[in-house]
Amino acid sequence: GVGMGMTAPVSITAFPAEDGSLQRKVKVSLRIPSQFQANPPCPSDESIKIEERQGMTIYSTQFGGYAKEVDYVSYAAKLKSALGSEAAYRKDFYLCNGYDPPMKPYGRRNEVWFVKE
């Protein structure tokens, strides 16, 4: 019953298949606003879980536009190529992040994050 508004980024955990495409399972994460961090309201929907995300070091790339799955897959491949074989990062998932409301037509910001091991 508490309206918290939208926060950024909206973070989608993507699980890549062997060919680089995304599996059909995803996890969408929203940041709880600062004023609710100490005592977040309990979700009324059982499919919603409150999780604490630990600090992490990431490798990131940024791009604009209205991001679609194909864009995230493409930029993840570019980031993987740029990192080469020397960088140690989690290969079983990566994070797709969007920072803008749907109605913002220009200057959009999207990122792909690989979590450093």
Side-chain angles (χ1 to χ4, degrees), residues 33-52:
S34 299
Q35 68 266 34
F36 297 103
Q37 287 281 321
N39 189 22
C42 292
S44 57
D45 183 327
E46 291 180 6
S47 69
I48 298 173
K49 308 286 185 232
I50 295 177
E51 297 179 353
E52 184 171 340

Side-chain angles (χ1 to χ4, degrees), residues 57-73:
T57 301
I58 61 165
Y59 298 104
S60 177
T61 189
Q62 182 178 327
F63 62 98
Y66 281 97
K68 297 177 183 65
E69 178 180 332
V70 66
D71 300 312
Y72 285 117
V73 169

Side-chain angles (χ1 to χ4, degrees), residues 2-48:
V2 176
M4 294 190 291
M6 196 64 193
T7 60
V10 172
S11 187
I12 299 171
T13 305
F15 301 92
E18 290 293 321
D19 65 358
S21 66
L22 300 183
Q23 296 180 37
R24 289 292 139 210
K25 72 175 186 177
V26 296
K27 179 178 173 181
V28 178
S29 302
L30 305 171
R31 185 183 178 284
I32 294 176
S34 299
Q35 68 266 34
F36 297 103
Q37 287 281 321
N39 189 22
C42 292
S44 57
D45 183 327
E46 291 180 6
S47 69
I48 298 173

Side-chain angles (χ1 to χ4, degrees), residues 6 17 28 41 45 52 60 68 78 80 82-83 95 104 106 108 110 112-114 116:
M6 196 64 193
V28 178
D45 183 327
E52 184 171 340
S60 177
K68 297 177 183 65
K78 290 176 185 178
K80 179 180 179 179
L83 291 172
L95 299 160
K104 182 179 178 183
Y106 303 105
R108 299 181 64 80
N110 310 290
V112 172
W113 295 355
F114 290 171
K116 184 177 178 182

